[in-house]
PDB file of all heavy atoms in Angstrom:
ATOM      1  N   TRP A  71      13.031  16.794   3.849  1.00  0.00           N
ATOM      2  CA  TRP A  71      12.820  16.943   5.293  1.00  0.00           C
ATOM      3  C   TRP A  71      11.401  17.376   5.633  1.00  0.00           C
ATOM      4  O   TRP A  71      10.771  16.785   6.508  1.00  0.00           O
ATOM      5  CB  TRP A  71      13.860  17.885   5.906  1.00  0.00           C
ATOM      6  CG  TRP A  71      14.014  19.246   5.284  1.00  0.00           C
ATOM      7  CD1 TRP A  71      13.548  20.416   5.788  1.00  0.00           C
ATOM      8  CD2 TRP A  71      14.696  19.579   4.071  1.00  0.00           C
ATOM      9  NE1 TRP A  71      13.897  21.466   4.961  1.00  0.00           N
ATOM     10  CE2 TRP A  71      14.598  20.981   3.899  1.00  0.00           C
ATOM     11  CE3 TRP A  71      15.384  18.838   3.107  1.00  0.00           C
ATOM     12  CZ2 TRP A  71      15.149  21.652   2.801  1.00  0.00           C
ATOM     13  CZ3 TRP A  71      15.935  19.511   2.022  1.00  0.00           C
ATOM     14  CH2 TRP A  71      15.816  20.894   1.880  1.00  0.00           C
ATOM     15  N   HIS A 122      18.862  16.421   3.360  1.00  0.00           N
ATOM     16  CA  HIS A 122      19.974  16.403   4.314  1.00  0.00           C
ATOM     17  C   HIS A 122      20.285  14.929   4.577  1.00  0.00           C
ATOM     18  O   HIS A 122      19.374  14.095   4.592  1.00  0.00           O
ATOM     19  CB  HIS A 122      19.605  16.971   5.680  1.00  0.00           C
ATOM     20  CG  HIS A 122      19.081  18.365   5.717  1.00  0.00           C
ATOM     21  ND1 HIS A 122      17.785  18.678   5.481  1.00  0.00           N
ATOM     22  CD2 HIS A 122      19.691  19.524   6.044  1.00  0.00           C
ATOM     23  CE1 HIS A 122      17.612  19.993   5.637  1.00  0.00           C
ATOM     24  NE2 HIS A 122      18.749  20.524   5.977  1.00  0.00           N
ATOM     25  N   TRP A 160      20.135  19.315  -4.996  1.00  0.00           N
ATOM     26  CA  TRP A 160      21.277  19.488  -4.095  1.00  0.00           C
ATOM     27  C   TRP A 160      21.170  18.596  -2.873  1.00  0.00           C
ATOM     28  O   TRP A 160      20.089  18.176  -2.473  1.00  0.00           O
ATOM     29  CB  TRP A 160      21.504  20.938  -3.698  1.00  0.00           C
ATOM     30  CG  TRP A 160      20.369  21.799  -3.197  1.00  0.00           C
ATOM     31  CD1 TRP A 160      19.693  22.723  -3.945  1.00  0.00           C
ATOM     32  CD2 TRP A 160      19.818  21.896  -1.874  1.00  0.00           C
ATOM     33  NE1 TRP A 160      18.766  23.374  -3.154  1.00  0.00           N
ATOM     34  CE2 TRP A 160      18.826  22.893  -1.882  1.00  0.00           C
ATOM     35  CE3 TRP A 160      20.076  21.231  -0.669  1.00  0.00           C
ATOM     36  CZ2 TRP A 160      18.070  23.244  -0.762  1.00  0.00           C
ATOM     37  CZ3 TRP A 160      19.324  21.577   0.459  1.00  0.00           C
ATOM     38  CH2 TRP A 160      18.342  22.571   0.396  1.00  0.00           C
ATOM     39  N   THR A 162      22.833  18.104   1.256  1.00  0.00           N
ATOM     40  CA  THR A 162      23.406  18.884   2.351  1.00  0.00           C
ATOM     41  C   THR A 162      23.525  17.993   3.590  1.00  0.00           C
ATOM     42  O   THR A 162      23.020  16.878   3.607  1.00  0.00           O
ATOM     43  CB  THR A 162      22.553  20.135   2.655  1.00  0.00           C
ATOM     44  OG1 THR A 162      23.230  20.959   3.604  1.00  0.00           O
ATOM     45  CG2 THR A 162      21.177  19.794   3.196  1.00  0.00           C
ATOM     46  N   PHE A 166      23.214  20.715  12.617  1.00  0.00           N
ATOM     47  CA  PHE A 166      22.614  21.638  13.590  1.00  0.00           C
ATOM     48  C   PHE A 166      21.662  20.947  14.554  1.00  0.00           C
ATOM     49  O   PHE A 166      21.403  21.431  15.644  1.00  0.00           O
ATOM     50  CB  PHE A 166      21.881  22.789  12.872  1.00  0.00           C
ATOM     51  CG  PHE A 166      21.036  22.345  11.683  1.00  0.00           C
ATOM     52  CD1 PHE A 166      19.726  21.915  11.864  1.00  0.00           C
ATOM     53  CD2 PHE A 166      21.564  22.353  10.399  1.00  0.00           C
ATOM     54  CE1 PHE A 166      18.952  21.504  10.787  1.00  0.00           C
ATOM     55  CE2 PHE A 166      20.791  21.941   9.303  1.00  0.00           C
ATOM     56  CZ  PHE A 166      19.489  21.513   9.504  1.00  0.00           C
ATOM     57  N   VAL A 207      24.474  22.387  -0.623  1.00  0.00           N
ATOM     58  CA  VAL A 207      24.073  23.581   0.143  1.00  0.00           C
ATOM     59  C   VAL A 207      24.690  23.622   1.538  1.00  0.00           C
ATOM     60  O   VAL A 207      24.793  22.593   2.214  1.00  0.00           O
ATOM     61  CB  VAL A 207      22.525  23.637   0.262  1.00  0.00           C
ATOM     62  CG1 VAL A 207      22.075  24.570   1.376  1.00  0.00           C
ATOM     63  CG2 VAL A 207      21.909  24.098  -1.054  1.00  0.00           C
ATOM     64  N   TRP A 209      23.540  25.634   4.702  1.00  0.00           N
ATOM     65  CA  TRP A 209      22.731  26.589   5.454  1.00  0.00           C
ATOM     66  C   TRP A 209      23.389  26.657   6.829  1.00  0.00           C
ATOM     67  O   TRP A 209      23.707  25.632   7.417  1.00  0.00           O
ATOM     68  CB  TRP A 209      21.270  26.144   5.576  1.00  0.00           C
ATOM     69  CG  TRP A 209      20.579  26.938   6.643  1.00  0.00           C
ATOM     70  CD1 TRP A 209      20.457  28.292   6.696  1.00  0.00           C
ATOM     71  CD2 TRP A 209      19.986  26.437   7.845  1.00  0.00           C
ATOM     72  NE1 TRP A 209      19.816  28.672   7.850  1.00  0.00           N
ATOM     73  CE2 TRP A 209      19.524  27.554   8.576  1.00  0.00           C
ATOM     74  CE3 TRP A 209      19.809  25.157   8.373  1.00  0.00           C
ATOM     75  CZ2 TRP A 209      18.892  27.431   9.804  1.00  0.00           C
ATOM     76  CZ3 TRP A 209      19.168  25.031   9.591  1.00  0.00           C
ATOM     77  CH2 TRP A 209      18.719  26.165  10.285  1.00  0.00           C
ATOM     78  N   GLU A 253      23.030  29.444   1.994  1.00  0.00           N
ATOM     79  CA  GLU A 253      21.630  29.847   2.154  1.00  0.00           C
ATOM     80  C   GLU A 253      21.556  30.843   3.303  1.00  0.00           C
ATOM     81  O   GLU A 253      21.596  30.466   4.476  1.00  0.00           O
ATOM     82  CB  GLU A 253      20.775  28.606   2.441  1.00  0.00           C
ATOM     83  CG  GLU A 253      19.297  28.921   2.534  1.00  0.00           C
ATOM     84  CD  GLU A 253      18.466  27.678   2.784  1.00  0.00           C
ATOM     85  OE1 GLU A 253      18.770  26.609   2.203  1.00  0.00           O
ATOM     86  OE2 GLU A 253      17.518  27.774   3.575  1.00  0.00           O
ATOM     87  N   LYS A 255      20.420  33.402   6.212  1.00  0.00           N
ATOM     88  CA  LYS A 255      19.287  33.502   7.153  1.00  0.00           C
ATOM     89  C   LYS A 255      19.751  34.383   8.306  1.00  0.00           C
ATOM     90  O   LYS A 255      20.856  34.198   8.805  1.00  0.00           O
ATOM     91  CB  LYS A 255      18.906  32.109   7.662  1.00  0.00           C
ATOM     92  CG  LYS A 255      17.685  32.101   8.568  1.00  0.00           C
ATOM     93  CD  LYS A 255      17.250  30.675   8.906  1.00  0.00           C
ATOM     94  CE  LYS A 255      15.997  30.670   9.743  1.00  0.00           C
ATOM     95  NZ  LYS A 255      15.520  29.313  10.056  1.00  0.00           N
ATOM     96  N   GLU A 289      16.079  31.933   0.221  1.00  0.00           N
ATOM     97  CA  GLU A 289      14.774  31.459   0.730  1.00  0.00           C
ATOM     98  C   GLU A 289      13.904  32.671   1.057  1.00  0.00           C
ATOM     99  O   GLU A 289      14.326  33.582   1.778  1.00  0.00           O
ATOM    100  CB  GLU A 289      15.004  30.594   1.973  1.00  0.00           C
ATOM    101  CG  GLU A 289      13.693  30.131   2.593  1.00  0.00           C
ATOM    102  CD  GLU A 289      13.873  29.017   3.618  1.00  0.00           C
ATOM    103  OE1 GLU A 289      14.733  28.136   3.399  1.00  0.00           O
ATOM    104  OE2 GLU A 289      13.150  29.045   4.613  1.00  0.00           O
ATOM    105  N   HIS A 292      13.478  33.510   4.735  1.00  0.00           N
ATOM    106  CA  HIS A 292      14.703  34.048   5.340  1.00  0.00           C
ATOM    107  C   HIS A 292      14.884  35.511   4.946  1.00  0.00           C
ATOM    108  O   HIS A 292      15.343  36.330   5.742  1.00  0.00           O
ATOM    109  CB  HIS A 292      15.930  33.250   4.897  1.00  0.00           C
ATOM    110  CG  HIS A 292      15.902  31.818   5.341  1.00  0.00           C
ATOM    111  ND1 HIS A 292      16.935  30.946   5.097  1.00  0.00           N
ATOM    112  CD2 HIS A 292      14.968  31.103   6.001  1.00  0.00           C
ATOM    113  CE1 HIS A 292      16.637  29.756   5.594  1.00  0.00           C
ATOM    114  NE2 HIS A 292      15.442  29.825   6.138  1.00  0.00           N
ATOM    115  N   ASP A 317      14.882  28.577  -2.271  1.00  0.00           N
ATOM    116  CA  ASP A 317      14.013  27.787  -1.403  1.00  0.00           C
ATOM    117  C   ASP A 317      12.662  28.489  -1.408  1.00  0.00           C
ATOM    118  O   ASP A 317      12.488  29.570  -0.836  1.00  0.00           O
ATOM    119  CB  ASP A 317      14.584  27.691   0.013  1.00  0.00           C
ATOM    120  CG  ASP A 317      15.517  26.491   0.156  1.00  0.00           C
ATOM    121  OD1 ASP A 317      15.846  25.864  -0.871  1.00  0.00           O
ATOM    122  OD2 ASP A 317      15.903  26.170   1.296  1.00  0.00           O
ATOM    123  N   ASP A 328      10.433  31.442  11.143  1.00  0.00           N
ATOM    124  CA  ASP A 328      10.517  30.760   9.856  1.00  0.00           C
ATOM    125  C   ASP A 328       9.370  29.753   9.766  1.00  0.00           C
ATOM    126  O   ASP A 328       9.528  28.589  10.114  1.00  0.00           O
ATOM    127  CB  ASP A 328      11.885  30.040   9.827  1.00  0.00           C
ATOM    128  CG  ASP A 328      12.361  29.711   8.438  1.00  0.00           C
ATOM    129  OD1 ASP A 328      11.741  30.170   7.468  1.00  0.00           O
ATOM    130  OD2 ASP A 328      13.373  28.988   8.327  1.00  0.00           O
ATOM    131  N   ASP A 360      11.035  24.533   0.238  1.00  0.00           N
ATOM    132  CA  ASP A 360      11.415  24.341   1.645  1.00  0.00           C
ATOM    133  C   ASP A 360      10.197  24.739   2.488  1.00  0.00           C
ATOM    134  O   ASP A 360      10.233  25.718   3.215  1.00  0.00           O
ATOM    135  CB  ASP A 360      12.659  25.177   1.968  1.00  0.00           C
ATOM    136  CG  ASP A 360      13.288  24.762   3.273  1.00  0.00           C
ATOM    137  OD1 ASP A 360      12.657  23.962   3.986  1.00  0.00           O
ATOM    138  OD2 ASP A 360      14.384  25.232   3.583  1.00  0.00           O
TER     139      ASP A 360
HETATM  140  C1  XLS B   4      16.249  26.325   7.629  1.00  0.00           C
HETATM  141  C2  XLS B   4      16.741  26.116   6.290  1.00  0.00           C
HETATM  142  C3  XLS B   4      17.038  24.684   5.911  1.00  0.00           C
HETATM  143  C4  XLS B   4      17.904  24.647   4.698  1.00  0.00           C
HETATM  144  C5  XLS B   4      18.657  23.377   4.488  1.00  0.00           C
HETATM  145  O1  XLS B   4      15.726  27.369   7.986  1.00  0.00           O
HETATM  146  O2  XLS B   4      15.839  26.687   5.392  1.00  0.00           O
HETATM  147  O3  XLS B   4      15.870  23.970   5.750  1.00  0.00           O
HETATM  148  O4  XLS B   4      17.180  24.928   3.546  1.00  0.00           O
HETATM  149  O5  XLS B   4      19.465  23.059   5.534  1.00  0.00           O
END
Side-chain angles (χ1 to χ4, degrees):
W71 53 104
H122 303 83
W160 49 259
T162 187
F166 44 86
V207 162
W209 165 58
E253 184 179 321
K255 184 173 183 178
E289 177 166 322
H292 297 183
D317 271 9
D328 201 9
D360 194 351

